[in-house]
Amino acid sequence: MGARVTRAFRNFNVENRAEQEISKMKPSTAPKHPSTRSLLQEQLSQHPEIKEEVSRKDNKLLSLLKDVYVDSKDPVSSLPVKDAELRQEPKEFRLPIGHHLDKNVMDVPKGKVTIVEALTLLNNHKLSPETWTAEKIAQEYQLELKDVNSLLKYFVTFEVKIIPPEDKKAIPAK
């Protein structure tokens, strides 16, 4: 409701207000110092051709100005551009492996895994490290071996353990 009232006041009589603003006198130049004003008047009275010279257009200079063509180029940077190489889109994709909760993922760039795939491969390695070695995971998910080794070394899936109560007076879980 408040926006409608504000809009009504803002748009009220907008043409007339714009016309008044346009018809106002434009600001004049700043006043000259009295000493320079008298000097300017004196020079203009002695040399009236100065006023004509200032207001006259010189056709020769105008034609030279029309012939000027400016072509600019960005300077070549001396630093190698590494960010552009890193930001390039991977050209090869693979289909996601396994059943995913997220059906929006249609293809995964080679060298990358989804969250679900990362949790799956970590869990598989944790449950059977003899069969799910770093080499097999790298081959299965098309990853680099050093990345898989780092993943297995620094990331661990959560393990939930329920500790049974030792005291009989403990409140049973519902």
Side-chain angles (χ1 to χ4, degrees), residues 10-44:
R10 185 180 62 222
N11 293 337
F12 176 73
N13 202 12
V14 72
E15 289 92 9
N16 288 340
R17 287 187 287 138
E19 185 65 35
Q20 286 176 356
E21 200 64 36
I22 291 171
S23 66
K24 279 185 182 176
M25 291 296 296
K26 305 296 184 259
S28 60
T29 58
K32 308 277 191 259
H33 192 269
S35 63
T36 58
R37 185 181 305 149
S38 63
L39 286 173
L40 283 174
Q41 291 296 330
E42 182 181 324
Q43 287 295 322
L44 286 175

Side-chain angles (χ1 to χ4, degrees), residues 94-109 111-124 137 141 143 151 155-158:
R94 64 175 177 80
L95 294 174
I97 299 172
H99 301 288
H100 296 292
L101 299 174
D102 188 13
K103 298 295 181 186
N104 294 333
V105 179
M106 295 299 183
D107 51 1
V108 180
K112 299 193 180 205
V113 291
T114 63
I115 298 290
V116 176
E117 289 174 340
L119 291 174
T120 304
L121 70 89
L122 286 171
N123 195 31
N124 288 343
I137 292 171
Y141 291 96
L143 300 171
L151 187 69
F155 290 95
V156 180
T157 56
F158 288 111

Side-chain angles (χ1 to χ4, degrees), residues 5-170:
V5 172
T6 305
R7 192 177 308 120
F9 279 119
R10 185 180 62 222
N11 293 337
F12 176 73
N13 202 12
V14 72
E15 289 92 9
N16 288 340
R17 287 187 287 138
E19 185 65 35
Q20 286 176 356
E21 200 64 36
I22 291 171
S23 66
K24 279 185 182 176
M25 291 296 296
K26 305 296 184 259
S28 60
T29 58
K32 308 277 191 259
H33 192 269
S35 63
T36 58
R37 185 181 305 149
S38 63
L39 286 173
L40 283 174
Q41 291 296 330
E42 182 181 324
Q43 287 295 322
L44 286 175
S45 64
Q46 289 177 0
H47 306 284
E49 67 273 1
I50 293 176
K51 191 170 188 176
E52 294 173 9
E53 189 71 25
V54 168
S55 61
R56 182 177 61 86
K57 290 184 180 180
D58 190 0
N59 290 330
K60 181 181 176 187
L61 292 177
L62 282 175
S63 64
L64 291 174
L65 187 61
K66 288 178 183 176
D67 293 340
V68 173
Y69 177 74
V70 178
D71 186 21
S72 65
K73 295 179 182 175
D74 290 335
V76 178
S77 65
S78 60
L79 299 175
V81 181
K82 292 184 179 179
D83 293 337
E85 296 170 1
L86 295 176
R87 291 182 190 157
Q88 288 180 351
E89 293 291 324
K91 296 178 182 170
E92 297 181 16
F93 290 93
R94 64 175 177 80
L95 294 174
I97 299 172
H99 301 288
H100 296 292
L101 299 174
D102 188 13
K103 298 295 181 186
N104 294 333
V105 179
M106 295 299 183
D107 51 1
V108 180
K110 288 188 178 181
K112 299 193 180 205
V113 291
T114 63
I115 298 290
V116 176
E117 289 174 340
L119 291 174
T120 304
L121 70 89
L122 286 171
N123 195 31
N124 288 343
H125 177 73
K126 186 170 124 182
L127 293 177
S128 57
E130 301 83 26
T131 57
W132 286 95
T133 61
E135 292 81 14
K136 182 177 179 183
I137 292 171
Q139 182 182 6
E140 182 78 21
Y141 291 96
Q142 298 174 356
L143 300 171
E144 291 187 23
L145 186 60
K146 65 177 182 79
D147 294 337
V148 174
N149 286 330
S150 298
L151 187 69
L152 296 176
K153 182 178 178 182
Y154 296 111
F155 290 95
V156 180
T157 56
F158 288 111
E159 186 175 323
V160 179
K161 291 185 180 180
I162 300 175
I163 302 172
E166 297 175 10
D167 191 10
K168 301 247 182 201
K169 293 181 181 179

